[in-house]
Amino acid sequence: MELKSLFEAAGLDVPARHPAAGSAPVVSEGLLNLGIGILAAAVENGVDLPEALHKLIAARNIERAYNAVTTLRTQIIAAADRAGAAEIDGLSMADVIAEERRIPKNAATSEIRTARSQAEFPNVLKAAAASR
């Protein structure tokens, strides 16, 4: 699973002479969970977008985020399924996805197959995440 530099993903410009320049720290589980928590809070409480311009910018950004989240979901589901991660809870990944999304298990199984086959093409996923 290839991840962009955390700095680049956050839109931060790191000067070439800075020790962090060119580094690509992997996003930690805690940071990923923080991002998910922020999105959940926005859904629960709404987002303050007072001007039409703010709404337009937010709409563009959320579309880009949607592509990134969809790609990351594919990568994580494929990796978790390959690792047998759901067995920790005595389940299959299809059980986990069916439970989390409240969909039939056969639909969840189809989602996993799709994720695993898409994960075989990381460059295509990367381009999809970047909206290309």
Side-chain angles (χ1 to χ4, degrees):
M1 182 182 329
E2 184 178 335
L3 296 174
K4 289 169 66 170
S5 160
L6 179 59
F7 306 112
E8 185 180 346
L12 301 175
D13 197 13
V14 179
R17 65 186 181 286
H18 190 280
S23 66
V26 173
V27 174
S28 70
E29 179 183 359
L31 193 55
L32 177 63
N33 289 336
L34 175 63
I36 292 167
I38 290 168
L39 291 174
V43 169
E44 181 72 24
N45 303 311
V47 179
D48 183 23
L49 302 168
E51 305 285 332
L53 177 61
H54 298 131
K55 290 172 177 59
L56 175 60
I57 292 168
R60 288 181 182 279
N61 287 337
I62 205 68
E63 286 302 312
R64 290 181 192 119
Y66 177 81
N67 291 333
V69 167
T70 300
T71 299
L72 185 59
R73 176 184 178 272
T74 296
Q75 293 170 326
I76 289 174
I77 287 172
D81 186 56
R82 276 193 307 273
E87 294 172 10
I88 293 168
D89 287 341
L91 302 170
S92 69
M93 277 309 296
D95 293 325
V96 171
I97 292 171
E99 177 184 316
E100 291 297 323
R101 298 212 21 229
R102 292 175 173 73
I103 61 174
K105 188 173 176 180
N106 63 342
T109 300
S110 177
E111 297 260 346
I112 293 165
R113 284 190 193 121
T114 299
R116 287 195 65 161
S117 80
Q118 289 176 348
E120 292 178 21
F121 302 96
N123 291 335
V124 173
L125 283 175
K126 187 176 179 180
S131 302
R132 289 186 257 150

